Amino acid sequence: RAGGGGKRRAVRRHDAGRLWKPHHEPLSRPRLHRRRALSRRAVLSLRHAVPPAGVPRCAEGPGLRLMGWDAVVVGRGTGIIRNFLPGPMDVIGPFGKGFTIAENKRVLIAGGGVGNAPLYFLARVLTSKGCSVKYMYGHRSRDHMFLTSMFMEACREFIAVTDDGSFGTRGFAGDAAAEENPLDFDVLYTCGPQVMMKKAALAFAGKTPVEVS
């Protein structure tokens, strides 16, 4: 479900690269403490009239899809989210414009840090559309990486690079992407730190279409 303007509606679209956010109304301090106790039971759940391709329906009811939830703790808000327990949750979205979905193309995807998160679903969708997907997965270290086995299954070729060399090759996803021959690909998708995306995009500019998130 999505909450907004005091209304709730069924979510009927799930586009790769579009964002969803937990939603609650502004709270006074007394109400905030009460809501905090209630919100700890939530894991993100979205209702779909038609679930995305390759995503099984949830056993709890037709069209109800449960999503995995994780959060990097960088402050008070993400600390609360990280402690959510399973249960229903209202979300608002999708926001922004999703990636253009190519079909039967040679694709390079470069993800850095938490920017890898939306690219997993993109890789799956592109593969289902007949694309040959090569994925550059960059992160700080092995301990910070997530869903690596799922990424490997979602693409033809998977290359991991870490800042400290604890997993895969030592280096950065932007540098690894820039070393590829742009003419070997029909499109580049990238999401992550700005410096990483800029390096990858500049290497492909004028030679291969680039989509940056």
Side-chain angles (χ1 to χ4, degrees):
R1 292 178 298 176
K7 299 180 180 180
R8 294 181 178 181
R9 61 181 176 81
V11 176
R12 297 181 182 274
R13 296 186 61 191
H14 186 101
D15 296 339
R18 302 184 78 181
L19 302 177
W20 297 83
K21 293 184 179 180
H23 168 71
H24 63 75
E25 67 277 12
L27 301 172
S28 63
R29 185 168 296 276
R31 294 185 63 204
L32 177 60
H33 288 300
R34 186 173 72 239
R35 174 59 68 88
R36 233 181 242 148
L38 296 173
S39 66
R40 292 178 184 278
R41 65 176 196 265
V43 103
L44 183 59
S45 64
L46 304 177
R47 181 173 295 277
H48 293 268
V50 180
V55 177
R57 290 178 180 269
C58 176
E60 295 181 21
L64 182 64
R65 177 180 171 222
L66 292 186
M67 299 178 66
W69 180 274
D70 199 0
V72 176
V73 178
V74 295
R76 184 177 180 183
T78 48
I80 294 173
I81 293 174
R82 187 65 180 267
N83 290 323
F84 282 173
L85 299 177
M89 182 179 190
D90 282 341
V91 295
I92 54 176
F95 299 107
K97 181 179 179 181
F99 291 110
T100 301
I101 303 302
E103 297 188 20
N104 302 309
K105 300 293 185 181
R106 300 166 301 166
V107 173
L108 177 64
I109 302 179
V114 295
N116 285 292
L119 296 178
Y120 167 67
F121 184 60
L122 174 65
R124 285 188 56 181
V125 171
L126 291 172
T127 297
S128 73
K129 297 293 184 180
C131 292
S132 175
V133 178
K134 184 173 185 177
Y135 198 102
M136 300 284 188
Y137 187 117
H139 222 311
R140 284 187 286 174
S141 68
R142 175 190 290 271
D143 293 339
H144 290 88
M145 300 182 78
F146 53 89
L147 304 181
T148 51
S149 61
M150 296 173 66
F151 275 95
M152 292 178 186
E153 294 175 359
C155 53
R156 174 185 61 83
E157 185 176 358
F158 177 87
I159 297 177
V161 293
T162 49
D163 297 5
D164 61 2
S166 57
F167 190 93
T169 303
R170 184 170 186 172
F172 305 96
D175 293 331
E179 292 175 0
E180 296 289 324
N181 183 355
L183 300 181
D184 288 341
F185 302 94
D186 298 305
V187 60
L188 165 69
Y189 300 94
T190 181
C191 181
Q194 288 189 5
V195 64
M196 183 220 79
M197 294 190 293
K198 182 177 180 180
K199 183 164 290 189
L202 287 177
F204 278 65
K207 303 171 186 176
T208 301
V210 178
E211 294 198 18
V212 177
S213 174

